[in-house]
Amino acid sequence: MLALALAATLAAAPAPRVAASTVTVLHVPRFDQLQGLTAFMMRAGASSQMLNPASWRGELHPFLPLDPTQPESLTALGIDATGPLSVSIRQDGRLACTRVADAKLFQEASANVLARNGDVKAGTVKGVTTLRAPTGLGGFAGYVIKGQEACAFASTDTDDSLRKEATKLVTKAPAADARMGAVPGVLYVATQQGVVGLDGTANGLKVEGTATKLPLPPFQAGGTSPYGAMAPAGLLFSRAQVAPTGVAQAAGSVRDAVRMVCPTCPAEQVQGMTDALAKQLTGHVLFAVDSVQVKGSLRKPEVRFFAAKQALAAEVVDAAAVKAALAPLGQFPGAKALTDGYSLEAKGGSLYLRLKGKHLVFGNDSAVTQTVMTSLPEKGAPLTRAVDFTLDPKKLARGLSQVSLMDVMGDETLAAFFGASTELGPLLARSERITGWLDSAANGSHRFSVNWTLPEKP
C-alpha cells in the first residue's frame, strides 16, 4: 500500500526535466499554484529585498519575463500556466523547461527577445524545432521545442552542450524525483545534498525537506520526553531524543566546547570524563539559548561561544555514576565545587555543570543555567518528533545585529551571519514566531520542517 501511495503521489505532480551536470534544480509542478507562496514573498519582500519576487523572478527563465505573481503572464507568452516549470542551473548556464499552450505564440515571444543580438539560427528536424542566437555576452541563448514541451537555454560560453541537453529533455519523458515526491511543496529546490519544498500563505511560509550533510547526530522519535511538558522560552528552545548510536557524537560536541574555551584543562581527563558521561545518557536532551550578548571580537572562538547565553540539559541513567564521573573536574584549574556540581573558569567566561535528580545541565551562563534547572518538570510528556524547536525571531534579529562589519573580514561564517542580519533582520523583527521539527531519515540523512509566521495584520 505504501508503495502504491508513493507511486500515486509521484504520478500526480509533473516530474522535473533536469539536465545533466546540474548543480541546482528549481521545480514548480504547477505555476498557477504559486499564489500562496508568492503572497508570503511579496509581504516579506517589503522588509527583505532578497525575498521580493521582483528580485528573483528573472532566474525562472533564461530570457523570457515570467512573473510568479501573475500566472496570466505565462499565457501571454504561450506557456501553459497549469503546467510545470523546471530550471536546471549549471556551471555553464541555465535551462528552463515548460509546457507550451500555444507553440506559435511562444516561438514569436522568444524570437522577439533573441533577435535583439542578431544572427538567429533556426531549423526543424524530425519534429524538433531549434532556435539559437548570441547573447551578446559571449554565449548563446535559444530554445528547443517538440509538441508541447519546450526547453530554453542560455550559456555562458560558446559551447553547444546546453542546446544538446535541451534537445534530449524535450525528446524523452522526465524521470520522477522521489525526494520531491516525499515532501510537500509548490516549489522545490534540489541539490545533491538534499531537497527543499516550499509553500505559503500571506501570513506564513512552510519549508520542508531532506538533507544529507547536516552536522547532526542521528535521532529517534517516540516515547515520553522528560522535557516534553516544558514551555518554549528564549531565543531558541529545542527538545530532542538522540539515537543510541549518536549519543557519543553529541557528547563529543560538548567535549570539544570545553577544550576550546579551556585549553589548560587536561585533555586526557576531559576525554575520560566525557566517555564516562556518554555511557549514562539516555539520549533525551533540552537545548536553550536565552539571548545573544557579544563582548569582544566574534573572530575569537571563545567570544562566539560565550556570546550565546545557553544551557543544555540531558537525562541520565544513574545520577550517582554521573556524580562520580564529574569528580575529576574538581581538580581542573579554575574549577570550583558547587552544592550540585561544579563551575569552571574558562577563556572568555565560566562553564557550569550541575546535577538535579536525573538531569545533567551544562551551561555557559549562570542565570540561564539556573533558569533551566528551575524549569525542569517533575513529569515528562510525549513528543511527536525526534526534535522540535521554537525560535523567537525578534531576539534572533537582535542577536544577528551584533555581528559587526569588522568581524566578517576573513571569516565566511561571520560574513554569512552579517548578510543574514542585513537581509533578514528587519523581517525577523516584524515576525511573530518560527517553529519546526527534525527527524532522522535513511542513509544518515535528516528530514526537517520550518514554519515562519508573520502577524495577521501587517
Side-chain angles (χ1 to χ4, degrees), residues 375-386:
S375 302
L376 292 173
E378 294 183 3
K379 294 183 179 181
L383 290 180
T384 58
R385 297 289 182 176

Side-chain angles (χ1 to χ4, degrees), residues 172-396:
K172 67 178 183 179
D177 189 327
R179 300 178 305 168
M180 293 184 185
V183 297
V186 296
L187 183 152
Y188 296 90
V189 180
T191 67
Q192 290 185 344
Q193 288 73 43
V195 61
V196 173
L198 297 92
D199 201 351
T201 65
N203 298 328
L205 172 68
K206 182 175 183 180
V207 180
E208 190 165 333
T210 58
T212 59
K213 299 295 184 179
L214 294 180
L216 296 171
F219 299 97
Q220 63 182 23
T224 298
S225 166
Y227 312 112
M230 294 180 67
L235 188 157
L236 170 64
F237 180 91
S238 179
R239 296 167 290 204
Q241 183 176 1
V242 180
T245 54
V247 168
Q249 179 183 345
S253 64
V254 176
R255 176 201 63 218
D256 294 341
V258 172
R259 286 178 174 175
M260 177 182 66
V261 298
C262 187
T264 60
C265 291
E268 290 185 4
Q269 288 183 283
V270 172
Q271 181 70 53
M273 185 173 63
T274 305
D275 292 344
L277 291 174
K279 295 177 182 178
Q280 297 298 323
L281 301 179
T282 67
H284 288 290
V285 296
L286 162 72
F287 182 58
V289 178
D290 177 73
S291 59
V292 172
Q293 298 177 20
V294 177
K295 297 179 180 180
S297 172
L298 285 169
R299 285 174 288 180
K300 297 179 180 180
E302 65 273 16
V303 175
R304 288 203 293 267
F305 176 76
F306 283 103
K309 306 303 179 183
Q310 58 191 287
L312 171 71
E315 184 187 43
V316 302
V317 177
D318 186 337
V322 170
K323 186 175 182 180
L326 291 175
L329 186 60
Q331 304 302 315
F332 285 15
K336 179 181 178 181
L338 306 174
T339 56
D340 53 7
Y342 299 90
S343 66
L344 179 66
E345 293 299 319
K347 190 177 181 180
S350 297
L351 302 177
Y352 301 87
L353 285 94
R354 299 172 61 185
L355 193 61
K356 180 181 180 181
K358 288 192 173 183
H359 303 281
L360 176 64
V361 180
F362 170 75
N364 69 354
D365 181 87
S366 59
V368 177
T369 304
Q370 179 61 39
T371 298
V372 170
M373 295 279 288
T374 304
S375 302
L376 292 173
E378 294 183 3
K379 294 183 179 181
L383 290 180
T384 58
R385 297 289 182 176
V387 181
D388 68 8
F389 63 88
T390 301
L391 273 167
D392 183 325
K394 294 178 177 59
K395 285 193 172 185
L396 178 58

Side-chain angles (χ1 to χ4, degrees), residues 9-331:
T9 300
L10 294 176
R17 294 182 182 271
V18 182
S21 303
T22 293
V23 177
T24 303
V25 178
L26 187 152
H27 179 59
V28 179
R30 285 187 56 145
F31 205 93
D32 62 345
Q33 293 183 351
L34 287 177
Q35 286 91 335
L37 179 60
T38 54
F40 175 87
M41 294 296 186
M42 289 179 67
R43 185 175 170 191
S47 300
S48 172
Q49 187 61 31
M50 177 180 70
L51 296 181
N52 193 316
S55 298
W56 49 263
R57 65 189 181 194
E59 302 299 320
L60 298 178
H61 198 277
F63 50 81
L64 290 179
L66 306 189
D67 187 348
T69 65
Q70 298 181 13
E72 61 272 17
S73 67
L74 275 74
T75 303
L77 298 170
I79 297 174
D80 184 357
T82 67
L85 164 71
S86 300
V87 182
S88 298
I89 301 174
R90 306 196 336 173
Q91 295 290 347
D92 57 349
R94 285 182 297 146
L95 296 95
C97 296
T98 57
R99 183 177 299 157
V100 296
D102 187 325
K104 182 179 179 181
L105 189 57
F106 170 80
Q107 290 176 280
E108 289 177 351
S110 299
N112 288 337
V113 176
L114 297 171
R116 294 170 183 171
N117 293 306
D119 195 25
V120 176
K121 295 182 179 180
T124 301
V125 179
K126 296 182 180 181
V128 179
T129 299
T130 302
L131 185 145
R132 193 186 77 164
T135 62
L137 299 173
F140 288 97
Y143 65 81
V144 178
I145 183 171
K146 181 181 181 182
Q148 287 187 292
E149 305 301 331
C151 288
F153 59 89
S155 63
T156 57
D157 53 40
T158 57
D159 187 89
D160 204 29
S161 61
L162 285 184
R163 182 196 61 79
K164 294 178 181 178
E165 279 295 321
T167 302
K168 292 178 182 178
L169 293 176
V170 300
T171 55
K172 67 178 183 179
D177 189 327
R179 300 178 305 168
M180 293 184 185
V183 297
V186 296
L187 183 152
Y188 296 90
V189 180
T191 67
Q192 290 185 344
Q193 288 73 43
V195 61
V196 173
L198 297 92
D199 201 351
T201 65
N203 298 328
L205 172 68
K206 182 175 183 180
V207 180
E208 190 165 333
T210 58
T212 59
K213 299 295 184 179
L214 294 180
L216 296 171
F219 299 97
Q220 63 182 23
T224 298
S225 166
Y227 312 112
M230 294 180 67
L235 188 157
L236 170 64
F237 180 91
S238 179
R239 296 167 290 204
Q241 183 176 1
V242 180
T245 54
V247 168
Q249 179 183 345
S253 64
V254 176
R255 176 201 63 218
D256 294 341
V258 172
R259 286 178 174 175
M260 177 182 66
V261 298
C262 187
T264 60
C265 291
E268 290 185 4
Q269 288 183 283
V270 172
Q271 181 70 53
M273 185 173 63
T274 305
D275 292 344
L277 291 174
K279 295 177 182 178
Q280 297 298 323
L281 301 179
T282 67
H284 288 290
V285 296
L286 162 72
F287 182 58
V289 178
D290 177 73
S291 59
V292 172
Q293 298 177 20
V294 177
K295 297 179 180 180
S297 172
L298 285 169
R299 285 174 288 180
K300 297 179 180 180
E302 65 273 16
V303 175
R304 288 203 293 267
F305 176 76
F306 283 103
K309 306 303 179 183
Q310 58 191 287
L312 171 71
E315 184 187 43
V316 302
V317 177
D318 186 337
V322 170
K323 186 175 182 180
L326 291 175
L329 186 60
Q331 304 302 315

